Amino acid sequence: ICLGVPIQSVALFLPQIIARLGYDTIKTNLYTVAPNCVGAVFLLLLAFSSDYARVRFPFIAAGFMLTFVGFIIYATIDVQRELHVAYFACFMLTWGTSAPSVLLSTWYNNNVAHEGRRVALTAVGVPLANVMGLVSSNIFRNQDAPRYLPALITTFAFGVAGAALTLGLGVYMVWDNRRRDRREGVHRRALDVSTEKLREGPAAPEFRW
């Protein structure tokens, strides 16, 4: 949910956000291309960095933070006087929504070895994020144009909540792994445990996040 609202807001309403810069319709649509292309580059950058570090949650949280910082900038500046800053904020919106969509799905698949549970999570999580388009389409209201301040604040709030939940869960996983190491008197990584044992999840003593 916390990811779905920002990603749908940016995906559906980036042209309306950029339209506030005062360009004509054709130029406004063209100005959406660069942020989306750079967002795709950031997706690859964060995803490969996450793979290299073998940890997910800091990179997911970073994506959320980029999004809500972008929304803060865009909501608080004088867009007409600070065109370059406003357009830079549009880039930040795409940086923050592109990467977490991939990394979040990878994160729960990495931590749920049981095939049935993974299928259930994917079947619920992905459609739930997509259906948040209903929220996005109802917060960008005509009467709030051209600033769309209530929509920007709402999307920012979901981004903050997503970052806080991600960091909280990630810190818990690190703490729980260390607690399990102390209990067993040995340092284990998820790589060191067979998938068969990991299938039982946290109930198994050998399980590591």
PDB file of all heavy atoms in Angstrom, residues 17 20 67-79 85-86 89-90 93 146-156:
ATOM      1  N   ILE A  17       1.689  16.866 -13.036  1.00  0.00           N
ATOM      2  CA  ILE A  17       2.670  17.494 -12.145  1.00  0.00           C
ATOM      3  C   ILE A  17       3.603  18.403 -12.945  1.00  0.00           C
ATOM      4  O   ILE A  17       3.870  19.545 -12.560  1.00  0.00           O
ATOM      5  CB  ILE A  17       3.467  16.412 -11.381  1.00  0.00           C
ATOM      6  CG1 ILE A  17       2.535  15.651 -10.418  1.00  0.00           C
ATOM      7  CG2 ILE A  17       4.626  17.037 -10.621  1.00  0.00           C
ATOM      8  CD1 ILE A  17       3.163  14.431  -9.782  1.00  0.00           C
ATOM      9  N   ARG A  20       2.447  21.932 -14.409  1.00  0.00           N
ATOM     10  CA  ARG A  20       2.512  23.124 -13.561  1.00  0.00           C
ATOM     11  C   ARG A  20       3.713  24.004 -13.903  1.00  0.00           C
ATOM     12  O   ARG A  20       3.757  25.183 -13.548  1.00  0.00           O
ATOM     13  CB  ARG A  20       2.563  22.693 -12.095  1.00  0.00           C
ATOM     14  CG  ARG A  20       2.372  23.831 -11.115  1.00  0.00           C
ATOM     15  CD  ARG A  20       2.421  23.318  -9.700  1.00  0.00           C
ATOM     16  NE  ARG A  20       2.682  24.394  -8.754  1.00  0.00           N
ATOM     17  CZ  ARG A  20       3.165  24.218  -7.533  1.00  0.00           C
ATOM     18  NH1 ARG A  20       3.435  22.994  -7.102  1.00  0.00           N
ATOM     19  NH2 ARG A  20       3.371  25.243  -6.740  1.00  0.00           N
ATOM     20  N   THR A  67      11.530   9.519  -3.012  1.00  0.00           N
ATOM     21  CA  THR A  67      10.193   9.917  -3.434  1.00  0.00           C
ATOM     22  C   THR A  67       9.639  11.016  -2.548  1.00  0.00           C
ATOM     23  O   THR A  67       9.175  12.050  -3.035  1.00  0.00           O
ATOM     24  CB  THR A  67       9.231   8.710  -3.414  1.00  0.00           C
ATOM     25  OG1 THR A  67       9.666   7.755  -4.371  1.00  0.00           O
ATOM     26  CG2 THR A  67       7.818   9.136  -3.765  1.00  0.00           C
ATOM     27  N   PHE A  68       9.676  10.805  -1.221  1.00  0.00           N
ATOM     28  CA  PHE A  68       9.016  11.811  -0.396  1.00  0.00           C
ATOM     29  C   PHE A  68       9.808  13.113  -0.325  1.00  0.00           C
ATOM     30  O   PHE A  68       9.227  14.182  -0.159  1.00  0.00           O
ATOM     31  CB  PHE A  68       8.601  11.277   0.977  1.00  0.00           C
ATOM     32  CG  PHE A  68       9.679  10.967   1.976  1.00  0.00           C
ATOM     33  CD1 PHE A  68      10.468  11.956   2.531  1.00  0.00           C
ATOM     34  CD2 PHE A  68       9.852   9.656   2.428  1.00  0.00           C
ATOM     35  CE1 PHE A  68      11.427  11.666   3.486  1.00  0.00           C
ATOM     36  CE2 PHE A  68      10.810   9.361   3.384  1.00  0.00           C
ATOM     37  CZ  PHE A  68      11.604  10.382   3.916  1.00  0.00           C
ATOM     38  N   VAL A  69      11.130  13.060  -0.506  1.00  0.00           N
ATOM     39  CA  VAL A  69      11.894  14.306  -0.599  1.00  0.00           C
ATOM     40  C   VAL A  69      11.503  15.067  -1.870  1.00  0.00           C
ATOM     41  O   VAL A  69      11.337  16.294  -1.861  1.00  0.00           O
ATOM     42  CB  VAL A  69      13.410  14.032  -0.566  1.00  0.00           C
ATOM     43  CG1 VAL A  69      14.201  15.280  -0.930  1.00  0.00           C
ATOM     44  CG2 VAL A  69      13.828  13.533   0.817  1.00  0.00           C
ATOM     45  N   GLY A  70      11.336  14.331  -2.962  1.00  0.00           N
ATOM     46  CA  GLY A  70      10.893  14.957  -4.209  1.00  0.00           C
ATOM     47  C   GLY A  70       9.541  15.629  -4.067  1.00  0.00           C
ATOM     48  O   GLY A  70       9.338  16.764  -4.539  1.00  0.00           O
ATOM     49  N   PHE A  71       8.616  14.958  -3.400  1.00  0.00           N
ATOM     50  CA  PHE A  71       7.295  15.552  -3.195  1.00  0.00           C
ATOM     51  C   PHE A  71       7.364  16.767  -2.272  1.00  0.00           C
ATOM     52  O   PHE A  71       6.634  17.753  -2.478  1.00  0.00           O
ATOM     53  CB  PHE A  71       6.318  14.510  -2.643  1.00  0.00           C
ATOM     54  CG  PHE A  71       5.682  13.670  -3.705  1.00  0.00           C
ATOM     55  CD1 PHE A  71       6.024  12.333  -3.859  1.00  0.00           C
ATOM     56  CD2 PHE A  71       4.736  14.201  -4.552  1.00  0.00           C
ATOM     57  CE1 PHE A  71       5.445  11.553  -4.848  1.00  0.00           C
ATOM     58  CE2 PHE A  71       4.141  13.429  -5.551  1.00  0.00           C
ATOM     59  CZ  PHE A  71       4.499  12.105  -5.701  1.00  0.00           C
ATOM     60  N   ILE A  72       8.226  16.724  -1.249  1.00  0.00           N
ATOM     61  CA  ILE A  72       8.389  17.875  -0.356  1.00  0.00           C
ATOM     62  C   ILE A  72       8.892  19.089  -1.142  1.00  0.00           C
ATOM     63  O   ILE A  72       8.361  20.198  -1.032  1.00  0.00           O
ATOM     64  CB  ILE A  72       9.376  17.559   0.785  1.00  0.00           C
ATOM     65  CG1 ILE A  72       8.749  16.615   1.806  1.00  0.00           C
ATOM     66  CG2 ILE A  72       9.798  18.835   1.505  1.00  0.00           C
ATOM     67  CD1 ILE A  72       9.707  16.193   2.892  1.00  0.00           C
ATOM     68  N   ILE A  73       9.935  18.870  -1.940  1.00  0.00           N
ATOM     69  CA  ILE A  73      10.503  19.966  -2.725  1.00  0.00           C
ATOM     70  C   ILE A  73       9.448  20.575  -3.639  1.00  0.00           C
ATOM     71  O   ILE A  73       9.245  21.791  -3.676  1.00  0.00           O
ATOM     72  CB  ILE A  73      11.712  19.476  -3.549  1.00  0.00           C
ATOM     73  CG1 ILE A  73      12.870  19.077  -2.631  1.00  0.00           C
ATOM     74  CG2 ILE A  73      12.163  20.547  -4.541  1.00  0.00           C
ATOM     75  CD1 ILE A  73      14.023  18.395  -3.352  1.00  0.00           C
ATOM     76  N   TYR A  74       8.742  19.701  -4.355  1.00  0.00           N
ATOM     77  CA  TYR A  74       7.774  20.191  -5.343  1.00  0.00           C
ATOM     78  C   TYR A  74       6.617  20.919  -4.669  1.00  0.00           C
ATOM     79  O   TYR A  74       6.059  21.879  -5.218  1.00  0.00           O
ATOM     80  CB  TYR A  74       7.245  19.021  -6.176  1.00  0.00           C
ATOM     81  CG  TYR A  74       6.666  19.453  -7.495  1.00  0.00           C
ATOM     82  CD1 TYR A  74       7.485  19.598  -8.613  1.00  0.00           C
ATOM     83  CD2 TYR A  74       5.318  19.746  -7.635  1.00  0.00           C
ATOM     84  CE1 TYR A  74       6.971  20.014  -9.832  1.00  0.00           C
ATOM     85  CE2 TYR A  74       4.791  20.154  -8.849  1.00  0.00           C
ATOM     86  CZ  TYR A  74       5.628  20.291  -9.944  1.00  0.00           C
ATOM     87  OH  TYR A  74       5.116  20.710 -11.138  1.00  0.00           O
ATOM     88  N   ALA A  75       6.221  20.482  -3.471  1.00  0.00           N
ATOM     89  CA  ALA A  75       5.073  21.083  -2.788  1.00  0.00           C
ATOM     90  C   ALA A  75       5.412  22.402  -2.113  1.00  0.00           C
ATOM     91  O   ALA A  75       4.519  23.224  -1.883  1.00  0.00           O
ATOM     92  CB  ALA A  75       4.508  20.107  -1.758  1.00  0.00           C
ATOM     93  N   THR A  76       6.691  22.631  -1.808  1.00  0.00           N
ATOM     94  CA  THR A  76       7.040  23.788  -0.974  1.00  0.00           C
ATOM     95  C   THR A  76       7.692  24.938  -1.737  1.00  0.00           C
ATOM     96  O   THR A  76       7.709  26.068  -1.232  1.00  0.00           O
ATOM     97  CB  THR A  76       7.978  23.370   0.170  1.00  0.00           C
ATOM     98  OG1 THR A  76       9.135  22.711  -0.382  1.00  0.00           O
ATOM     99  CG2 THR A  76       7.273  22.427   1.132  1.00  0.00           C
ATOM    100  N   ILE A  77       8.212  24.686  -2.933  1.00  0.00           N
ATOM    101  CA  ILE A  77       8.887  25.766  -3.663  1.00  0.00           C
ATOM    102  C   ILE A  77       7.905  26.514  -4.551  1.00  0.00           C
ATOM    103  O   ILE A  77       6.801  26.039  -4.843  1.00  0.00           O
ATOM    104  CB  ILE A  77      10.059  25.226  -4.521  1.00  0.00           C
ATOM    105  CG1 ILE A  77       9.531  24.316  -5.639  1.00  0.00           C
ATOM    106  CG2 ILE A  77      11.091  24.538  -3.669  1.00  0.00           C
ATOM    107  CD1 ILE A  77      10.594  23.933  -6.654  1.00  0.00           C
ATOM    108  N   ASP A  78       8.338  27.694  -4.998  1.00  0.00           N
ATOM    109  CA  ASP A  78       7.595  28.444  -6.009  1.00  0.00           C
ATOM    110  C   ASP A  78       8.021  27.890  -7.367  1.00  0.00           C
ATOM    111  O   ASP A  78       9.115  28.192  -7.870  1.00  0.00           O
ATOM    112  CB  ASP A  78       7.924  29.933  -5.900  1.00  0.00           C
ATOM    113  CG  ASP A  78       7.103  30.791  -6.857  1.00  0.00           C
ATOM    114  OD1 ASP A  78       6.623  30.253  -7.880  1.00  0.00           O
ATOM    115  OD2 ASP A  78       6.954  31.990  -6.592  1.00  0.00           O
ATOM    116  N   VAL A  79       7.176  27.052  -7.944  1.00  0.00           N
ATOM    117  CA  VAL A  79       7.543  26.320  -9.157  1.00  0.00           C
ATOM    118  C   VAL A  79       7.878  27.265 -10.306  1.00  0.00           C
ATOM    119  O   VAL A  79       8.824  27.019 -11.066  1.00  0.00           O
ATOM    120  CB  VAL A  79       6.403  25.357  -9.559  1.00  0.00           C
ATOM    121  CG1 VAL A  79       6.640  24.778 -10.943  1.00  0.00           C
ATOM    122  CG2 VAL A  79       6.283  24.247  -8.533  1.00  0.00           C
ATOM    123  N   VAL A  85      14.695  23.594 -10.280  1.00  0.00           N
ATOM    124  CA  VAL A  85      14.560  22.810  -9.050  1.00  0.00           C
ATOM    125  C   VAL A  85      13.304  21.952  -9.107  1.00  0.00           C
ATOM    126  O   VAL A  85      13.304  20.776  -8.718  1.00  0.00           O
ATOM    127  CB  VAL A  85      14.530  23.739  -7.815  1.00  0.00           C
ATOM    128  CG1 VAL A  85      14.307  22.932  -6.543  1.00  0.00           C
ATOM    129  CG2 VAL A  85      15.813  24.541  -7.724  1.00  0.00           C
ATOM    130  N   ALA A  86      12.210  22.535  -9.606  1.00  0.00           N
ATOM    131  CA  ALA A  86      10.952  21.801  -9.710  1.00  0.00           C
ATOM    132  C   ALA A  86      11.100  20.608 -10.654  1.00  0.00           C
ATOM    133  O   ALA A  86      10.607  19.504 -10.361  1.00  0.00           O
ATOM    134  CB  ALA A  86       9.838  22.720 -10.195  1.00  0.00           C
ATOM    135  N   ALA A  89      12.988  17.895  -9.007  1.00  0.00           N
ATOM    136  CA  ALA A  89      12.123  17.153  -8.081  1.00  0.00           C
ATOM    137  C   ALA A  89      11.327  16.087  -8.819  1.00  0.00           C
ATOM    138  O   ALA A  89      11.078  15.003  -8.277  1.00  0.00           O
ATOM    139  CB  ALA A  89      11.181  18.108  -7.360  1.00  0.00           C
ATOM    140  N   CYS A  90      10.941  16.364 -10.065  1.00  0.00           N
ATOM    141  CA  CYS A  90      10.225  15.357 -10.869  1.00  0.00           C
ATOM    142  C   CYS A  90      11.110  14.141 -11.134  1.00  0.00           C
ATOM    143  O   CYS A  90      10.629  13.007 -11.174  1.00  0.00           O
ATOM    144  CB  CYS A  90       9.757  15.966 -12.189  1.00  0.00           C
ATOM    145  SG  CYS A  90       8.510  17.256 -12.010  1.00  0.00           S
ATOM    146  N   LEU A  93      11.077  11.979  -8.050  1.00  0.00           N
ATOM    147  CA  LEU A  93       9.852  11.173  -7.921  1.00  0.00           C
ATOM    148  C   LEU A  93      10.014   9.833  -8.623  1.00  0.00           C
ATOM    149  O   LEU A  93       9.608   8.792  -8.096  1.00  0.00           O
ATOM    150  CB  LEU A  93       8.652  11.930  -8.507  1.00  0.00           C
ATOM    151  CG  LEU A  93       8.314  13.297  -7.933  1.00  0.00           C
ATOM    152  CD1 LEU A  93       7.037  13.838  -8.557  1.00  0.00           C
ATOM    153  CD2 LEU A  93       8.186  13.234  -6.423  1.00  0.00           C
ATOM    154  N   PRO A 146      -3.600  24.055 -10.011  1.00  0.00           N
ATOM    155  CA  PRO A 146      -2.511  23.240 -10.569  1.00  0.00           C
ATOM    156  C   PRO A 146      -1.538  22.705  -9.518  1.00  0.00           C
ATOM    157  O   PRO A 146      -0.650  21.935  -9.846  1.00  0.00           O
ATOM    158  CB  PRO A 146      -1.805  24.242 -11.472  1.00  0.00           C
ATOM    159  CG  PRO A 146      -1.945  25.550 -10.740  1.00  0.00           C
ATOM    160  CD  PRO A 146      -3.306  25.491 -10.073  1.00  0.00           C
ATOM    161  N   ARG A 147      -1.697  23.117  -8.247  1.00  0.00           N
ATOM    162  CA  ARG A 147      -0.705  22.726  -7.227  1.00  0.00           C
ATOM    163  C   ARG A 147      -0.902  21.293  -6.751  1.00  0.00           C
ATOM    164  O   ARG A 147       0.054  20.623  -6.389  1.00  0.00           O
ATOM    165  CB  ARG A 147      -0.766  23.670  -6.032  1.00  0.00           C
ATOM    166  CG  ARG A 147      -0.352  25.109  -6.355  1.00  0.00           C
ATOM    167  CD  ARG A 147      -0.158  25.914  -5.090  1.00  0.00           C
ATOM    168  NE  ARG A 147       1.001  25.431  -4.327  1.00  0.00           N
ATOM    169  CZ  ARG A 147       1.263  25.769  -3.079  1.00  0.00           C
ATOM    170  NH1 ARG A 147       0.445  26.586  -2.430  1.00  0.00           N
ATOM    171  NH2 ARG A 147       2.325  25.296  -2.457  1.00  0.00           N
ATOM    172  N   TYR A 148      -2.144  20.840  -6.696  1.00  0.00           N
ATOM    173  CA  TYR A 148      -2.467  19.490  -6.202  1.00  0.00           C
ATOM    174  C   TYR A 148      -1.841  19.236  -4.831  1.00  0.00           C
ATOM    175  O   TYR A 148      -1.311  18.148  -4.563  1.00  0.00           O
ATOM    176  CB  TYR A 148      -2.001  18.415  -7.192  1.00  0.00           C
ATOM    177  CG  TYR A 148      -2.695  18.471  -8.524  1.00  0.00           C
ATOM    178  CD1 TYR A 148      -2.022  18.932  -9.658  1.00  0.00           C
ATOM    179  CD2 TYR A 148      -4.015  18.063  -8.663  1.00  0.00           C
ATOM    180  CE1 TYR A 148      -2.650  18.985 -10.899  1.00  0.00           C
ATOM    181  CE2 TYR A 148      -4.656  18.112  -9.903  1.00  0.00           C
ATOM    182  CZ  TYR A 148      -3.975  18.576 -11.013  1.00  0.00           C
ATOM    183  OH  TYR A 148      -4.602  18.633 -12.223  1.00  0.00           O
ATOM    184  N   LEU A 149      -1.905  20.244  -3.970  1.00  0.00           N
ATOM    185  CA  LEU A 149      -1.228  20.153  -2.678  1.00  0.00           C
ATOM    186  C   LEU A 149      -1.731  18.993  -1.811  1.00  0.00           C
ATOM    187  O   LEU A 149      -0.915  18.250  -1.236  1.00  0.00           O
ATOM    188  CB  LEU A 149      -1.364  21.479  -1.929  1.00  0.00           C
ATOM    189  CG  LEU A 149      -0.370  21.718  -0.790  1.00  0.00           C
ATOM    190  CD1 LEU A 149       1.067  21.609  -1.276  1.00  0.00           C
ATOM    191  CD2 LEU A 149      -0.613  23.075  -0.145  1.00  0.00           C
ATOM    192  N   PRO A 150      -3.052  18.758  -1.692  1.00  0.00           N
ATOM    193  CA  PRO A 150      -3.508  17.612  -0.889  1.00  0.00           C
ATOM    194  C   PRO A 150      -2.971  16.281  -1.414  1.00  0.00           C
ATOM    195  O   PRO A 150      -2.611  15.395  -0.632  1.00  0.00           O
ATOM    196  CB  PRO A 150      -5.034  17.682  -0.995  1.00  0.00           C
ATOM    197  CG  PRO A 150      -5.333  19.100  -1.314  1.00  0.00           C
ATOM    198  CD  PRO A 150      -4.196  19.553  -2.175  1.00  0.00           C
ATOM    199  N   ALA A 151      -2.894  16.155  -2.751  1.00  0.00           N
ATOM    200  CA  ALA A 151      -2.387  14.912  -3.340  1.00  0.00           C
ATOM    201  C   ALA A 151      -0.906  14.732  -3.040  1.00  0.00           C
ATOM    202  O   ALA A 151      -0.452  13.625  -2.712  1.00  0.00           O
ATOM    203  CB  ALA A 151      -2.624  14.907  -4.851  1.00  0.00           C
ATOM    204  N   LEU A 152      -0.138  15.819  -3.146  1.00  0.00           N
ATOM    205  CA  LEU A 152       1.299  15.734  -2.867  1.00  0.00           C
ATOM    206  C   LEU A 152       1.552  15.377  -1.410  1.00  0.00           C
ATOM    207  O   LEU A 152       2.423  14.557  -1.100  1.00  0.00           O
ATOM    208  CB  LEU A 152       1.977  17.061  -3.215  1.00  0.00           C
ATOM    209  CG  LEU A 152       1.922  17.502  -4.678  1.00  0.00           C
ATOM    210  CD1 LEU A 152       2.622  18.840  -4.854  1.00  0.00           C
ATOM    211  CD2 LEU A 152       2.535  16.462  -5.596  1.00  0.00           C
ATOM    212  N   ILE A 153       0.773  15.984  -0.505  1.00  0.00           N
ATOM    213  CA  ILE A 153       0.945  15.700   0.922  1.00  0.00           C
ATOM    214  C   ILE A 153       0.564  14.263   1.236  1.00  0.00           C
ATOM    215  O   ILE A 153       1.253  13.568   2.000  1.00  0.00           O
ATOM    216  CB  ILE A 153       0.106  16.682   1.764  1.00  0.00           C
ATOM    217  CG1 ILE A 153       0.677  18.101   1.620  1.00  0.00           C
ATOM    218  CG2 ILE A 153       0.084  16.266   3.230  1.00  0.00           C
ATOM    219  CD1 ILE A 153      -0.184  19.177   2.232  1.00  0.00           C
ATOM    220  N   THR A 154      -0.532  13.785   0.642  1.00  0.00           N
ATOM    221  CA  THR A 154      -0.975  12.402   0.881  1.00  0.00           C
ATOM    222  C   THR A 154       0.068  11.403   0.392  1.00  0.00           C
ATOM    223  O   THR A 154       0.419  10.454   1.095  1.00  0.00           O
ATOM    224  CB  THR A 154      -2.320  12.142   0.172  1.00  0.00           C
ATOM    225  OG1 THR A 154      -3.291  13.073   0.646  1.00  0.00           O
ATOM    226  CG2 THR A 154      -2.804  10.731   0.433  1.00  0.00           C
ATOM    227  N   THR A 155       0.580  11.633  -0.817  1.00  0.00           N
ATOM    228  CA  THR A 155       1.587  10.725  -1.371  1.00  0.00           C
ATOM    229  C   THR A 155       2.863  10.761  -0.543  1.00  0.00           C
ATOM    230  O   THR A 155       3.487   9.722  -0.297  1.00  0.00           O
ATOM    231  CB  THR A 155       1.888  11.105  -2.832  1.00  0.00           C
ATOM    232  OG1 THR A 155       0.666  11.208  -3.556  1.00  0.00           O
ATOM    233  CG2 THR A 155       2.764  10.055  -3.495  1.00  0.00           C
ATOM    234  N   PHE A 156       3.240  11.958  -0.095  1.00  0.00           N
ATOM    235  CA  PHE A 156       4.400  12.097   0.783  1.00  0.00           C
ATOM    236  C   PHE A 156       4.219  11.276   2.060  1.00  0.00           C
ATOM    237  O   PHE A 156       5.135  10.592   2.515  1.00  0.00           O
ATOM    238  CB  PHE A 156       4.592  13.586   1.122  1.00  0.00           C
ATOM    239  CG  PHE A 156       5.396  13.837   2.367  1.00  0.00           C
ATOM    240  CD1 PHE A 156       6.774  13.736   2.353  1.00  0.00           C
ATOM    241  CD2 PHE A 156       4.765  14.174   3.563  1.00  0.00           C
ATOM    242  CE1 PHE A 156       7.509  13.971   3.503  1.00  0.00           C
ATOM    243  CE2 PHE A 156       5.496  14.407   4.717  1.00  0.00           C
ATOM    244  CZ  PHE A 156       6.867  14.309   4.683  1.00  0.00           C
TER     245      PHE A 156
END
